Amino acid sequence: MAARENFREDVPGRANVADTPELIAYYDELERLQAGALWTVANKIEPWQPASASVPVLWRYADLRAHVLRSLALVAPEQAGRRVVYLSNPGRRDVSAAVGWLYSGLQVMNPGEVASAHRHTASALRFIMEGEGAYTVVDGHKMTLGRNDFVLTPNGTWHEHGVEAQGTPCIWQDGLDIPLMNALEANFYQVHPELRQQVGHPVDDMANTWGHPGLRPSAGEWTRGYSPLLKYEWAATYAALQRYARATDGSAFDGVMLDYVNPATGGPVMQTIGASMQMLRPGERTRAHRHTGSAIYQAAKGSGYSIIGGKRFDWAERDIFCVPSWSWHEHANASEREDACLFAFNDLPVMRALGLYREEAYGDNGGYQQRA
Ligand SMILES: [Fe+2]
Ligand SMILES: [Fe+2]
């Protein structure tokens, strides 16, 4: 008879049943009927608080870049579909997640290459790391992309990525909610019947239509569940952070932080993925907090460190790191002169939509102060 784990806790209200020969025989009988006694697993499947299987990880760009570039010679986009080195969390290898239910990878393309057009249930984003001439086409809207630009490929939209012939090798981070879609058993994938889509609009038309702070097109109708802006350029984002910094002391936990939003609703950019850019002023170190929801960060500017789950991770530009759900985290700018900026994407729209968002500040007196 195989040893069966029994998750006992000596706490009133929790399961605490000692094994006896009779009970073990009973458990065996249940198992043969594809059933089980809840009290043997209740304490495991209902932890007192979220118990993330993910561990905090920092992926250094300096370590990964050469390997990413090497894949250019190893596989063609026609073979691989997408030429990507994905980030694998040691606690989440079974679902190919970088953290929680989020996927991340570094994609690379040579000038003149185009990956085949496709669409999927997973929502996706790109954050450009290096190179000139990258572009994405989403449902016939072509967008030119530069360093630190952020672009959406929302669920169900046809999309393809490429680099113009006169460009340079381009690397970007791909962020998706593939693991979440698989967990929900709702993931579909389709290759475009012609492998390419027609560009049906002027280049960058969505940014030119929807990308004006405080203004929106008078005739603008937009009812889909994602932002029509599709692309958020770095220059405008950084300028907005600098202006906001003149007006605020910022959050004690995040410094000067702006969320990327859907300009038609003010809500998150996609239904399942939110994103933000935060600036840590010279010498700034934030207070620790924790919340439900997972996040993947990429250093967009400057250098610093984050303490995640009690461990320090030093980051520089283009490094990527993750914060698992309900892990304490705080961020610091290592420079006394330059600001530092962190891009992040997360599953907070899911947490909020399902009523699961919860946040806690690390208390000054060693205790915890909970916020609703
Ligand atoms: Fe895709
Ligand atoms: Fe946070």
Side-chain angles (χ1 to χ4, degrees):
M1 179 181 3
R4 184 182 288 98
E5 279 194 279
N6 182 1
F7 297 89
R8 296 173 62 187
E9 277 180 43
D10 188 12
V11 177
R14 296 291 269 187
N16 187 16
V17 179
D19 285 342
T20 64
E22 188 184 10
L23 276 170
I24 287 169
Y26 173 65
Y27 299 152
D28 288 342
E29 284 166 35
L30 289 178
E31 196 170 303
R32 281 194 288 277
L33 298 169
Q34 317 303 337
L38 176 61
W39 59 86
T40 62
V41 297
N43 297 335
K44 181 190 179 199
I45 66 172
E46 293 178 292
W48 292 96
Q49 57 186 29
S52 180
S54 307
V55 296
V57 181
L58 171 78
W59 292 272
R60 278 190 191 84
Y61 195 61
D63 295 338
L64 281 172
R65 183 175 183 272
H67 294 280
V68 171
L69 289 171
R70 199 167 155 230
S71 71
L72 285 169
L74 293 174
V75 292
E78 296 79 37
Q79 303 166 290
R82 289 157 294 180
R83 193 198 281 120
V84 178
V85 171
Y86 73 95
L87 307 183
S88 177
N89 193 293
R92 301 294 281 158
R93 296 234 156 98
D94 53 336
V95 292
S96 302
V99 65
W101 299 104
L102 295 172
Y103 160 100
S104 171
L106 301 187
Q107 184 162 176
V108 61
M109 287 186 99
N110 262 330
E113 286 183 339
V114 195
S116 51
H118 62 275
R119 64 180 178 183
H120 36 68
T121 312
S123 292
L125 60 90
R126 305 167 69 191
F127 194 80
I128 311 303
M129 301 176 91
E130 67 169 89
E132 306 288 329
Y135 65 87
T136 288
V137 184
V138 176
D139 277 348
H141 300 279
K142 181 172 178 176
M143 289 162 277
T144 55
L145 301 169
R147 168 111 199 267
N148 284 354
D149 286 353
F150 165 51
V151 64
L152 312 177
T153 49
N155 82 343
T157 57
W158 291 111
H159 56 279
E160 67 219 67
H161 310 308
V163 177
E164 306 286 2
Q166 64 276 20
T168 63
C170 289
I171 302 177
W172 57 84
Q173 182 184 183
D174 283 329
L176 295 98
D177 58 7
I178 292 169
L180 177 65
M181 292 305 105
N182 289 335
L184 296 173
E185 300 179 341
N187 207 2
F188 292 89
Y189 191 100
Q190 231 182 329
V191 176
H192 195 284
E194 283 147 34
L195 298 179
R196 295 274 185 287
Q197 54 178 323
Q198 298 293 318
V199 175
H201 308 272
V203 172
D204 286 326
D205 70 306
M206 292 306 248
N208 290 335
T209 302
W210 290 96
H212 314 292
L215 297 164
R216 54 177 284 175
S218 301
E221 271 288 313
W222 188 261
T223 52
R224 298 188 197 176
Y226 54 85
S227 167
L229 189 46
L230 297 177
K231 175 175 78 163
Y232 299 76
E233 292 179 358
W234 164 244
T237 306
Y238 184 60
L241 281 173
Q242 288 177 304
R243 285 187 61 189
Y244 184 35
R246 284 182 228 140
T248 181
D249 290 335
S251 149
F253 307 104
D254 285 302
V256 178
M257 180 152 93
L258 292 170
D259 292 334
Y260 293 95
V261 295
N262 175 340
T265 64
V269 289
M270 295 187 282
Q271 285 165 301
T272 52
I273 299 181
S276 60
M277 182 72 80
Q278 68 196 89
M279 184 167 82
L280 304 168
R281 289 151 293 190
E284 180 163 9
R285 178 175 172 177
T286 68
R287 283 184 57 201
H289 76 163
R290 63 180 177 181
H291 40 79
T292 49
S294 307
I296 295 174
Y297 289 78
Q298 181 178 319
K301 181 176 183 292
S303 61
Y305 64 91
S306 298
I307 299 172
I308 307 160
K311 210 172 151 196
R312 174 170 164 155
F313 297 89
D314 286 84
W315 40 260
E317 278 182 22
R318 299 182 178 89
D319 288 351
I320 296 171
F321 60 91
C322 68
V323 174
S325 184
W326 208 238
S327 298
W328 295 113
H329 55 281
E330 61 194 83
H331 310 293
N333 182 348
S335 170
E336 295 293 332
R337 295 204 320 236
E338 301 285 325
D339 58 66
C341 295
L342 290 171
F343 168 78
F345 68 95
N346 56 58
D347 56 10
L348 296 183
V350 177
M351 294 294 134
R352 293 202 164 99
L354 300 181
L356 304 175
Y357 185 74
R358 194 157 146 173
E359 180 182 348
E360 223 174 52
Y362 195 84
D364 290 325
N365 307 318
Y368 305 137
Q369 297 163 353
Q370 194 156 308
R371 299 201 296 179

